[in-house]
Structure formats: structure tokens, C-alpha cells
Amino acid sequence: MIDAAMQTYALTIDKFLDHAARWHSDTEVVTARADGPNARIGYAALKERAQRLSDVLAGLGVGAGQCIATLAWNSQAHLEAWFGIMGMGAVCHTLNPRLTAGQTASMLLQSSAEILVVSADLLPLAREIAGKAPLRHILTIDGDADGWAGGPPVRSLEGLLAEVEPDFVWGCFDENTASGLCFTSGTTGEPKGVMYTHRSNYLHTLRLLQADVFGITARDAVLPVVPMFHANAWGMPFAAPAAGAKLVLPGRHLDGASLARLIAAEGVTVASAVPTVWLGLVEHLEAEGGELPSLKRIAVGGSPMPPALMERIERRLDVTVQTSWGMTELSPLGTMAPPASARRNAALSGRPAIGLDLLLTDAEGRALPQQRNVEGYLRVRGSAVVERYLGQSERAIDAAGWFDTGDLARIDGEGNLMITGRAKDLIKSGGEWINPAEIEAIVSSLPQVSLAAVVGRSDAKWGERPILLVEMSKGEALTDAELLESLRGRVASWWIPDEVVRLPKMPTAATGKIDKMRLRSQYGQA
């Protein structure tokens, strides 16, 4: 008997845009512009431009497996660069424009990228980077920019696109080919490079599209406020074309007023960003008025959502907040609260979708005999989880394939994940451990508090003692005694911070997370 067989179908990212161009050809990709009407293009036309971009790169000597760097905001041109780079089998190395030139150059040296695609308004930073990294070409997008003497040639990518045909053939490579490179945010340690593959991102996208995760459909207008230079923009630039949804890109202006105008003008239904972005939007609407009736759901990640802020957002915007947890190393989605849930709890990050497993262990990595309603060290494994960091010979997983996230967590009886702290953030005082996240959660629940963080300060007697740093909500005030009183009876008395430090603005990394490394550096010494 001759066995039956199924077709070979490589799970490569170019198929998402192929699908959108064929079956949702006129569905729009919109880019916000501060100085004029929003830019618009259909998926079919965008695919042609992305194929032209592949041809331009091939003409510059780019082949499969080579890294091409991007230093850009969320825009149509950046999206074209993503698909043009990945579609030809090259690797898109996204760079964070909020890092220093030295930090960025260090990453380029690790990826060996020699071509940089850069937003025109970031060209001054690109000039600094070029002085520290061996770039051969700089291609500008989103505006005109002149070159300069003494460095790699600077050319407008728009002009180069007009010189080639949109006939570059995508795919034709193995699904395990590398597709993207992103470095971790470095808020708790040195940034490390995570290399995504076509297969991992394809399967990650299918998880995103599940009804109990993002659940995006062709009827949605999707706004990824989360930057495209970090962790696949949470996968939204892949999920939107895969579903045939309208994709709305905010450019560089992420203030409350700009986002309110964009959401209202484009009928955005689903959006994703860190809590501080949604706080800015709510504060704008509270001050200036206005409604956003099209907006139905917002996904929140990057840092814990204070319960008072979640309630405030849902009440003012009349939306459902979907809390989530993830990491760059997870591509980045780990778990997400479903859009329809009777349990509205800011502390819960939901359950994992198929393709990701969770495990609670002790400090030595041994699985806890009980996996529900106990605290443990969180490990994960799955189809879109890192195995080895860029340039490191040792694997980042144990013998059974589990990746140590560095998080402390609980899993409730229904399988919902609750992150209870970061192992690196724990404070050892008098030989005993203090978990800052528990203190932060209590203080952040106060309606007068916008953001709260706890770090350890060196202490001659106890080794470390906690201090509380707070950013108060606009127009609100509490005394130090009132802030600390909220903790009494809810944490051990010796956990209560020795000092309260008030900050006009909590320092955050480019991804919106509170920058604990900076706080420890500034306030961790006696």
C-alpha cells in the first residue's frame, strides 16, 4: 500500500502578507502624520512595495541569513521593511531609538548588520551609531534626509524603490530560518539578543489569533501602540494581515491627544500598549472631554496593571482591559486574560494558549509537587520560546527544555497566572526575603497613586532595607504615613519601607516598564 501524504507548506512570515494582499487587498494600513492627513495604503499595494524593497536589498548584496537593522517608529515604511527583509530570508534586527548610540552600536556589532533602515528624523542618531559600527549603507524612510561626508552613503529608500520591479520571489527557504532579532530591554540586567524564526513567529501568530487571546477578525481596526522595535510589537504587525484586519500605525506621537484623535478618526477597535500609555489617554480625555465609541478592547502588558488604573480605564473608555504577561524571550506572549471573563482582576494575567507550557519550581529548578495556589519560580517552554541567546554557546533552557523566566508566580485553581515578583528584585533584609511586587501591588491600588516601585537600599545592619518610590496621580496627595499605613496588616511589619521617595515622573524603559536598574542605581546606596 502507498501511504497518503499531506503537502509541504513552510510556515514562513511572508505568507501573512500574501494572504492579506490576495483576500483583503483594499483593507487599509494607516499611518498617523502630525503634519497632514494620515497616510493610507491597501495590503496589495503594500506587498508590492515590500517586494521592491527586497529587490533593493538584494541589489546591495544582501543574501539569506544576513541581518538588516531598522531604527524606526511604527509606520507603513517600517512595516514594508519588516516584510521586505524577512520575505527574502534575511533577518530584521529592530533597534530601540531611545538607547544611546554606544548601546545600539554594541548590538550591531553582535548582529553584524551593515545596512540600517532609519526614520529620517532619527538620522542624527544614525550618524552617531555609524561612527561606532561598521555600517555600509543607510537607507532613510518616512521623510527626506541628506547624506553626509565621511560616513556610509545615505540614500532615500523611496527613491530606490522606484528603480526596481515588484517581482521579487519570497519564501523558498526553510521555516526554521531566522526572521528577526530583538534585544531584551535590559531593565534587570544586560540586554541579550533573542533570534526569532519564521516558524516560531508563525505559530506565535496563530496563538494570538485565538478567540481567548487577541481574537482579531477582519472586522477589526488594530492599533499597535507598542513599538515595532521591541518584541515583534507583540505580534500585531503579523496578526493583523493574517486576519485581514485594518492596521493603524501611530508613528512616533504616543501622547494622549494624538492617540485620541487617531482612534476616533480610524475607528480603532483593538489596541495594545503598556499601562502608562493608557494612563496618558485617560488623563487627556478627563481633562479635554471626548469619547472613543469604536474602541472595545485594549491589551496591556510590559508591567503590572494597578487595579485602580484598570478600573479607571474601563470606566472612562468603556472598554475591556485584557491583562497579559510575556517576555522578549517568548516572542513575547505568554498568557492573556480572555476578552470575555467574569473575573476582572488586574493581578491575573490569564492562561496560556496552546503552544506554551508553564511550570512552577523551587529555587533549584525542581518542579513543585503542587502546581496550583502555591508560589514558585516560573519556567516555560514552547514553540516560540528562546533556546539560546545570540552569541552564547550555552543553552538558555534546562535538560527538559524549560526556560527560567526569572519571575515568581502563582497559578490559581482555574489556571490563571499571577506574577508575584522578579527573583532579581527580591530584597534580602536580615537574612529574610522581601518581595517588592507585593508592596507595589498594594500601594498601586490606592486611587491617589499613579505608579509605585520598591527597591532595596544597602544597610549596614540589615544588609538591605526597602524604600518606596511613588509617582502620585495628578492633583492627588497622601502623606508618607498614609502611604505606609496602607501596608500595615497586609504585609509583615518588617517589610514596610523605611522611606518614601516622591518622583515627579517614574523612570521607564522604552517599552514602558519601570526601570528598576536606574532606580537601584540612583536610590540603592545608603
Side-chain angles (χ1 to χ4, degrees), residues 69-75 78-79 82 86 92-99 104 107 116-117 119 122 125 180-185 192 194 196 224-235 237 249-254 274 328 332 509-512:
T70 67
L71 184 70
W73 311 108
N74 290 21
S75 70
H78 197 183
L79 186 68
W82 270 34
M86 298 181 197
C92 183
H93 177 191
T94 53
L95 299 171
N96 185 339
R98 298 187 178 107
L99 298 179
T104 303
M107 295 173 185
L116 176 63
V117 177
S119 290
L122 293 171
L125 175 58
L181 173 63
C182 180
F183 279 74
T184 59
S185 60
K192 295 188 286 287
V194 179
Y196 308 117
V225 183
V226 58
M228 290 174 64
F229 54 75
H230 183 68
N232 288 321
W234 297 0
L249 300 168
R252 68 170 300 169
H253 299 289
L254 308 182
V274 296
T328 303
T511 53

Side-chain angles (χ1 to χ4, degrees), residues 157-458:
L157 185 53
E158 189 64 35
L160 295 175
L161 294 180
E163 299 173 3
V164 295
E165 297 298 323
D167 55 3
F168 194 95
V169 178
W170 282 348
C172 305
F173 47 77
D174 188 88
E175 64 184 23
N176 292 299
T177 299
S179 62
L181 173 63
C182 180
F183 279 74
T184 59
S185 60
T187 54
T188 59
E190 286 299 314
K192 295 188 286 287
V194 179
M195 189 77 83
Y196 308 117
T197 67
H198 283 262
R199 180 179 186 275
S200 70
N201 273 340
Y202 197 105
L203 295 176
H204 182 267
T205 302
L206 297 186
R207 287 203 295 122
L208 284 180
L209 292 175
Q210 292 185 43
D212 277 347
V213 189
F214 275 115
I216 297 169
T217 74
R219 297 179 297 278
D220 282 308
V222 179
L223 171 64
V225 183
V226 58
M228 290 174 64
F229 54 75
H230 183 68
N232 288 321
W234 297 0
M236 305 297 267
F238 300 137
K246 178 179 178 178
L247 183 60
V248 182
L249 300 168
R252 68 170 300 169
H253 299 289
L254 308 182
D255 58 281
S258 297
L259 290 178
R261 286 194 300 271
L262 184 61
I263 292 169
E266 301 301 335
V268 170
T269 60
V270 182
S272 60
V274 296
T276 49
V277 167
W278 301 124
L279 175 61
L281 176 61
V282 167
E283 287 181 340
H284 166 76
L285 293 176
E286 289 174 344
E288 303 297 330
E291 302 296 332
L292 302 174
S294 68
L295 191 61
K296 304 303 180 187
R297 293 187 287 124
I298 62 172
V300 177
S303 58
M305 168 64 85
L309 178 57
M310 177 172 166
E311 180 182 353
R312 184 180 174 190
I313 290 171
E314 291 195 330
R315 183 178 64 252
R316 181 61 184 83
L317 300 180
D318 191 25
V319 298
T320 297
V321 171
Q322 289 183 260
T323 51
S324 68
W325 166 80
M327 305 176 69
T328 303
E329 291 91 338
L330 275 60
S331 301
L333 182 69
T335 63
M336 174 167 279
S341 175
R343 299 185 65 189
R344 310 297 302 146
N345 188 334
L348 298 179
S349 300
R351 290 176 289 203
I354 184 69
L356 185 79
D357 293 327
L358 309 180
L359 180 71
L360 297 180
T361 75
D362 61 17
E364 284 71 45
R366 295 184 291 260
L368 298 180
Q370 176 66 36
Q371 289 287 307
R372 295 289 191 272
N373 299 310
V374 295
E375 185 177 66
Y377 292 78
L378 180 61
R379 296 190 177 214
V380 300
R381 65 182 177 187
S383 59
V385 178
V386 69
E387 178 177 316
R388 181 183 288 107
Y389 290 108
L390 180 69
Q392 296 192 8
S393 58
E394 293 186 4
R395 297 202 305 172
I397 56 177
D398 65 18
W402 293 103
F403 170 73
D404 183 358
T405 67
D407 284 319
L408 300 172
R410 288 178 180 269
I411 302 174
D412 71 10
E414 297 179 9
N416 293 295
L417 180 70
M418 176 187 294
I419 300 297
T420 57
R422 288 286 293 171
K424 289 182 179 180
D425 288 344
L426 294 178
I427 298 168
K428 199 165 192 178
S429 183
E432 300 290 342
W433 291 109
I434 296 172
N435 187 348
E438 292 188 33
I439 302 172
E440 293 164 355
I442 293 170
V443 176
S444 295
S445 69
L446 300 173
Q448 299 89 344
V449 174
S450 178
L451 295 170
V454 174
V455 298
R457 173 178 286 173
S458 59

